[in-house]
């Protein structure tokens, strides 16, 4: 962790170093595994994305190390973070082989669905209650919003509902839940929620990266829309997130 | 002398067996329901489950947490109610179709009714209509499928069983193609997700609203079938005999087919296409109580309710991730059906 990983050192002669070398350094979690059975290429593409982003000098990335600096050390008490794809007609979780699992672990959280060794699985409400996650992320593969969960009497005892820690995942140039060129922003967003720091500087980072990626700087209103502020208005610590 | 005695003795044993089945089955259904309410991924002690249930009607001291009450009453109870409605409905539809078509190997799925109903439902989803339209669409196209099968297989008098099955497969394939067309045209980021999830069929998201959606058509259609149960016996004698006995077979058949379409529509609307229940359960019931529909219809209802509740309880308890319901009904149903077919090919239909 002390020195940044060599970008083109003699000990690392391969043109595109495996992201594992970069991300698994120190206390960082395991890199995303290339799914063995019927896995989708998105995962493989995802790991390529980190390598690519890290190698672009203008990018605010720098991989996991930059993400980790300035975050409090949670030790062994990592909060459980469940990713749901966002459907209103079923609970589809990101299992242990999913990219979302990787993001959760990267940001310092714990995925309660890790034991399900697939990309995506359907669970029932009871399983959700049994896992009792502290944070729930609602993906952009469906219209589900935190208010739906806050209003469901069956879910009233859930830790994430009581603590108002259900969040709709942002949606910028692309959904932030699958791997994409906007992934480093997602990592910062998740890390801010997991550590309770509110991801300071995230809004500025979005402006900076969008200028690089798209050649345009989003306005304040557009940033609110990207970060799903209307949907997340009732969720804990969201008003000041990223500022 | 022995021959003249044999007849009443057989009749008495049959009656005894009928009575036994009609008394035992409701008990079995209630037991299955209570056990299903007692098990799940969220562990609630069985004594607590019983106390929670009794606490709804009796003033018992509250020893359970809010979450435990929510799990039993808000999650498991609607799910068990739904599996019972769906199982009973599918099973009785199978029994009725087998009688109306005078064919032992038909069921809502084989005759294409389920495919027709799913097309109607998918159409409602694509057009963005509500759940009432979904049931109505399922009903309309389920009925259309059943009428198409009936019209093609009855063109020239009675037809061999395989012709009916073939008509059903063709009609089913046609509606499946239409469903494929709609999924191809559907917006992949919006409608497609809900279509695919809906078609897969699951009781994982059972709510009281869904119980109502399935309950109204299933109970109405089921009640009609129960009311007509002795007429089904007459109908299975053939149209000429039925007419001679003072029935109007065409009208009766229509009534029954409409009832079947309603029940299948209600079932498909909440749980997608679930196969094999309508084929296996009526045969099990027939092996037990014989082909008399006065007894067979209620027995099929109860047996179907218990059967699907057992299957659904297994799907939600095997692992953290749910197995689709239709997978398990087929895995259990197909081998059971083969064994039944092999063992009792003659006995099953000798008295029908």
């Amino acid at each position: 962790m002390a020195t940044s990983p060599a970008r083109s050192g003699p000990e690392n002669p391969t043109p595109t170093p495996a992201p594992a070398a970069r991300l698994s350094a120190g206390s960082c979690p395991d890199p995303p595994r290339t799914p063995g059975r019927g896995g989708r290429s998105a995962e493989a593409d995802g790991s390529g994305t980190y390598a690519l982003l890290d190698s672009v000098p203008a990018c605010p990335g720098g991989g996991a190390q930059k993400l980790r600096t300035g975050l409090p050390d949670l030790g062994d008490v990592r909060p459980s973070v469940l990713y749901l794809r966002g459907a209103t007609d079923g609970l589809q979780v990101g299992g242990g082989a999913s990219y979302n699992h990787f993001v959760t672990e990267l940001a310092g959280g714990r995925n309660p669905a890790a034991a399900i060794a697939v990309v995506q699985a359907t669970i029932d409400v009871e399983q959700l209650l049994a896992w009792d996650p502290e944070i729930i992320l609602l993906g952009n593969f469906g219209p589900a919003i935190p208010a739906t969960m806050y209003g469901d009497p069956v879910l009233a005892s859930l830790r994430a509902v009581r603590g108002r820690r259900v969040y709709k995942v942002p949606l910028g140039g692309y959904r932030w839940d699958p791997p994409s060129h906007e992934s480093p922003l997602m990592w910062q967003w998740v890390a801010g929620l997991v550590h309770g720091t509110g991801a300071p500087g995230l809004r500025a980072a979005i402006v900076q990266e969008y200028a690089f990626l798209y050649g345009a700087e989003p306005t304040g209103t557009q940033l609110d829309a990207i970060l799903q502020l209307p949907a997340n208005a009732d969720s804990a610590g969201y008003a000041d997130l990223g500022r | 002398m022995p021959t003249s005695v044999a007849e009443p003795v057989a009749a008495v044993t049959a009656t005894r067996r009928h009575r036994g089945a009609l008394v035992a089955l409701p008990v079995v259904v209630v037991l299955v329901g209570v056990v299903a309410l007692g098990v799940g991924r969220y562990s609630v002690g069985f004594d607590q489950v019983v106390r929670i249930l009794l606490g709804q009607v009796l003033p018992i001291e509250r020893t359970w947490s809010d979450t435990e009450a929510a799990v039993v009453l808000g999650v498991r109870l609607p799910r068990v109610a739904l599996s019972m409605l769906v199982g009973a409905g599918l099973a009785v539809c199978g029994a009725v179709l087998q009688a109306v078509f005078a064919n032992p190997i038909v069921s809502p799925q084989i005759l294409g009714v389920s495919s027709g109903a799913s097309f109607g439902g998918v159409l409602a989803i694509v057009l963005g209509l509500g759940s009432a339209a979904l049931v109505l669409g399922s009903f309309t196209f389920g009925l259309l499928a059943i009428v198409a099968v009936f019209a093609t297989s009855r063109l020239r008098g009675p037809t061999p069983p395989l012709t009916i099955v073939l008509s059903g497969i063709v009609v089913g394939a046609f509606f499946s193609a239409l469903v494929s067309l709609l999924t191809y045209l559907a917006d992949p980021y919006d409608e497609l997700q809900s279509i695919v999830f809906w078609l897969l069929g699951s009781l994982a998201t059972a709510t009281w609203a869904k119980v109502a959606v399935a309950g109204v058509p299933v109970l109405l259609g089921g009640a009609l079938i129960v009311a007509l149960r002795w007429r089904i016996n007459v109908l299975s004698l053939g149209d000429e005999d039925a007419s001679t006995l003072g029935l109007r077979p065409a009208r009766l058949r229509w009534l029954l087919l409409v009832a079947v379409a309603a029940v299948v529509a209600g079932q498909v609307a909440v749980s997608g296409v679930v196969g094999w229940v309508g084929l296996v359960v009526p045969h099990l019931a027939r092996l037990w109580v014989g082909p008399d529909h006065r007894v067979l219809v209620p027995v099929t209802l109860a047996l179907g309710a218990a059967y699907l509740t057992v299957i659904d309880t297994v799907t939600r308890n095997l692992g953290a991730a749910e197995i689709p319901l239709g997978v398990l009904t087929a895995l259990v149903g197909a081998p059971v059906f083969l064994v039944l077919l092999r063992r009792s090919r003659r006995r099953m239909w000798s008295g029908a």
Side-chain angles (χ1 to χ4, degrees):
Chain A
M1 288 295 278
T3 56
S4 69
R7 290 203 188 275
S8 56
E11 73 281 3
N12 205 350
T14 41
T16 38
R22 204 152 299 197
L23 295 174
S24 63
S27 60
C28 291
D30 288 338
R33 283 157 289 164
T34 307
R37 44 197 193 103
R40 295 182 316 197
S41 59
E43 259 66 25
D45 291 344
S47 38
T49 308
Y50 320 136
L52 182 68
L53 280 169
D54 285 353
S55 65
V56 176
C59 213
Q65 292 202 326
K66 181 159 183 182
L67 182 72
R68 292 258 156 166
T69 49
L71 288 174
D73 188 9
L74 291 171
D76 286 338
V77 282
R78 295 188 296 150
S80 62
V81 182
L82 185 68
Y83 168 77
L84 296 170
R85 282 177 64 87
T88 44
D89 50 3
L91 300 170
Q92 286 133 345
V93 300
S98 68
Y99 168 73
N100 311 95
H101 170 79
F102 166 73
V103 173
T104 298
E105 298 275 319
L106 177 72
R110 185 174 57 79
N111 179 15
I116 307 178
V118 294
V119 172
Q120 190 186 331
T122 301
I123 59 159
D124 69 343
V125 182
E126 268 185 66
Q127 184 62 66
L128 177 63
L129 291 168
W131 280 336
D132 200 13
E134 288 167 78
I135 298 174
I136 293 177
L137 306 179
L138 297 174
N140 285 297
F141 292 95
I145 51 168
T148 329
M149 290 200 139
Y150 295 150
D152 190 339
V154 170
L155 301 179
S157 64
L158 214 58
R159 279 192 293 178
V161 169
R162 278 184 288 139
R164 288 289 187 267
R165 292 180 89 183
V166 182
Y167 301 96
K168 184 78 176 174
V169 172
L171 176 67
Y174 188 62
R175 299 177 176 90
W176 281 16
D177 25 350
S180 79
H181 52 292
E182 298 186 25
S183 284
L185 298 170
M186 171 67 172
W187 304 342
Q188 292 179 50
W189 183 77
V190 178
L193 296 178
V194 168
H195 294 263
T197 55
L202 177 61
R203 291 172 77 99
I206 297 174
V207 172
Q208 194 190 337
E209 182 149 345
Y210 276 33
F212 167 71
L213 289 171
Y214 305 118
E217 296 190 351
T219 64
T221 323
Q222 287 169 335
L223 283 173
D224 289 348
I226 290 169
L227 291 170
Q228 307 267 26
L229 204 61
N232 290 326
D234 288 339
S235 299
Y238 211 79
D240 296 327
L241 186 119
R243 290 185 199 273
Chain B
M1 191 67 181
T3 44
S4 62
V5 172
E7 199 57 30
V9 166
V12 166
T13 16
T15 322
R16 204 170 284 161
R17 194 184 283 186
H18 292 174
R19 210 169 289 153
L22 291 178
V23 171
L25 267 175
V27 179
V28 169
V29 172
V30 170
L31 276 181
V32 165
V34 172
V35 170
L37 287 174
V39 292
R41 300 294 301 173
Y42 188 92
S43 95
V44 184
F46 197 75
D47 54 327
Q48 291 292 7
V49 172
V50 175
R51 287 181 69 87
I52 291 170
L53 290 177
L54 290 178
Q56 301 309 303
V57 283
L58 300 172
I60 305 181
E61 192 202 341
R62 195 182 159 96
T63 54
W64 54 88
S65 70
D66 284 349
T67 312
E68 286 173 333
V71 164
V72 174
L73 301 174
V75 180
R76 288 184 195 162
L77 196 57
R79 184 159 183 170
V80 169
L82 205 58
S83 67
M84 286 192 170
L85 280 172
V86 167
L90 278 175
V92 83
C93 282
V96 168
L97 289 176
Q98 285 159 17
V100 168
F101 285 89
N103 186 332
I105 43 178
V106 300
S107 73
Q109 193 193 12
I110 287 173
L111 288 187
V113 192
S114 302
S115 299
S118 35
F119 170 69
V122 170
L123 195 65
I125 295 177
V126 169
L127 295 178
L129 309 167
S131 62
L134 199 146
V135 180
L136 203 66
S138 296
F139 172 72
T140 311
F141 285 94
L143 190 63
L144 203 66
I146 208 171
V147 168
V149 172
F150 195 76
T152 48
S153 61
R154 283 257 173 172
L155 279 180
R156 279 174 235 132
T159 36
L162 278 180
T163 313
I164 299 172
V165 172
L166 203 60
S167 306
I169 289 172
V170 171
V171 169
F174 178 75
F175 280 110
S176 298
L178 287 179
V179 168
S180 302
L181 182 67
L182 284 185
T183 50
Y184 171 74
L185 293 173
D187 176 0
Y189 297 118
D190 184 16
E191 295 145 356
L192 189 62
Q193 291 275 335
S194 32
I195 290 175
V196 169
F197 187 80
W198 181 72
L199 283 175
L200 261 180
S202 166
L203 297 172
T205 53
T207 57
W208 288 113
K210 285 194 177 180
V211 173
V213 165
V216 172
V218 169
L219 290 180
L220 283 180
L224 186 63
I225 292 167
V226 170
L228 294 172
R229 65 193 186 280
W230 64 268
R231 290 186 175 82
I232 302 175
N233 279 347
V234 185
L235 194 66
S236 56
L237 295 173
D239 281 10
E240 277 179 26
D241 285 345
S243 305
T244 318
L245 289 165
L247 276 186
R248 281 192 260 175
R251 204 181 61 170
L252 177 61
R253 204 178 289 116
W254 267 106
L255 264 179
L256 288 169
L257 293 185
V258 168
V260 166
V263 172
V264 172
Q267 175 269 314
V268 165
V270 293
S271 57
V273 176
V274 178
W276 291 100
V277 179
L279 195 55
V280 171
V281 174
H283 282 281
L284 283 176
R286 210 173 277 119
L287 276 176
W288 188 10
V289 296
D292 184 349
H293 286 87
R294 287 174 302 175
V295 184
L296 184 67
V297 165
V299 165
T300 310
L301 278 169
L303 211 57
Y307 174 74
L308 200 69
T309 305
V310 169
I311 296 269
D312 184 53
T313 306
V314 171
T315 65
R316 67 184 166 89
N317 279 287
L318 272 186
E322 291 230 354
I323 305 164
L325 186 63
V327 172
L328 219 61
T329 55
L331 281 181
V332 175
V336 167
F337 184 70
L338 283 179
V339 170
L340 289 181
L341 207 63
R342 172 122 198 92
R343 256 200 214 156
S344 47
R345 234 174 310 182
R346 268 183 229 144
R347 191 153 54 95
M348 208 182 288
W349 283 89
S350 58

